[in-house]
Amino acid sequence: MATTRSAHTVWDGNLTEGTGVVALDSSGTGRQPVTWPSRAEEARGRTSPEELLAAAHSSCFSMALAHALTEAGTPPTQLVTSADVTFQPGEGITGVHLTVEGTVAGVDDDVFVAAAEDAKVNCPVSQALSGTSISLSAKLV
């Protein structure tokens, strides 16, 4: 069964001086302020499309990697994943770097890195971002 998740933004004003609020509709877990300066300069307590994308990518990747490791008979104890999404004004999103540290019994670094590389390519958010460069650093802890 397919699922659809929703969010919406109310934006007031022009691009550089305006402000917006992003609401996480499906979960109802919050509303986040967003501005152009929070996107192109300092966050100052506000989010950006890139931060929201980083959250989506790090969680999707973690789920894909956990699934792959579990299917291989070596479920992870813990995965800590960060996603750094780079935005260049006038150019757009220029890349994503995923970093994952895993605690996984019964695998060596080569197996873990191979599973992480596979998750990087195959998680749905990575596939949606196939038009941008996605890099990965992966290690066991």
Side-chain angles (χ1 to χ4, degrees):
M1 174 190 324
T3 58
T4 300
R5 299 293 181 251
S6 301
H8 78 274
T9 301
V10 175
W11 187 267
D12 296 311
N14 67 29
L15 173 63
T16 59
E17 297 168 5
T19 61
V21 176
V22 177
L24 306 176
D25 297 332
S26 298
S27 65
T29 57
R31 300 167 56 89
Q32 298 295 319
V34 62
T35 65
W36 176 254
S38 70
R39 185 176 197 184
E41 299 166 17
E42 294 295 320
R44 293 193 173 105
R46 296 180 179 106
T47 195
S48 68
E50 291 72 29
E51 182 178 44
L52 296 168
L53 188 57
H57 205 175
S58 66
S59 60
C60 183
F61 170 87
S62 294
M63 290 180 202
L65 181 54
H67 177 70
L69 291 166
T70 301
E71 289 291 305
T74 54
T77 302
Q78 185 175 60
L79 301 171
V80 178
T81 304
S82 63
D84 299 310
V85 176
T86 302
F87 173 74
Q88 178 65 46
E91 226 178 298
I93 294 172
T94 58
V96 179
H97 183 74
L98 297 167
T99 302
V100 62
E101 294 183 350
T103 304
V104 187
V107 299
D108 62 19
D109 283 326
D110 291 339
V111 170
F112 182 71
V113 169
E117 286 288 346
D118 186 64
K120 178 190 86 167
V121 171
N122 291 307
C123 91
V125 172
S126 288
Q127 291 177 349
L129 297 174
S130 62
T132 193
S133 170
I134 302 171
S135 58
L136 172 69
S137 299
K139 70 177 184 177
L140 291 170
V141 291

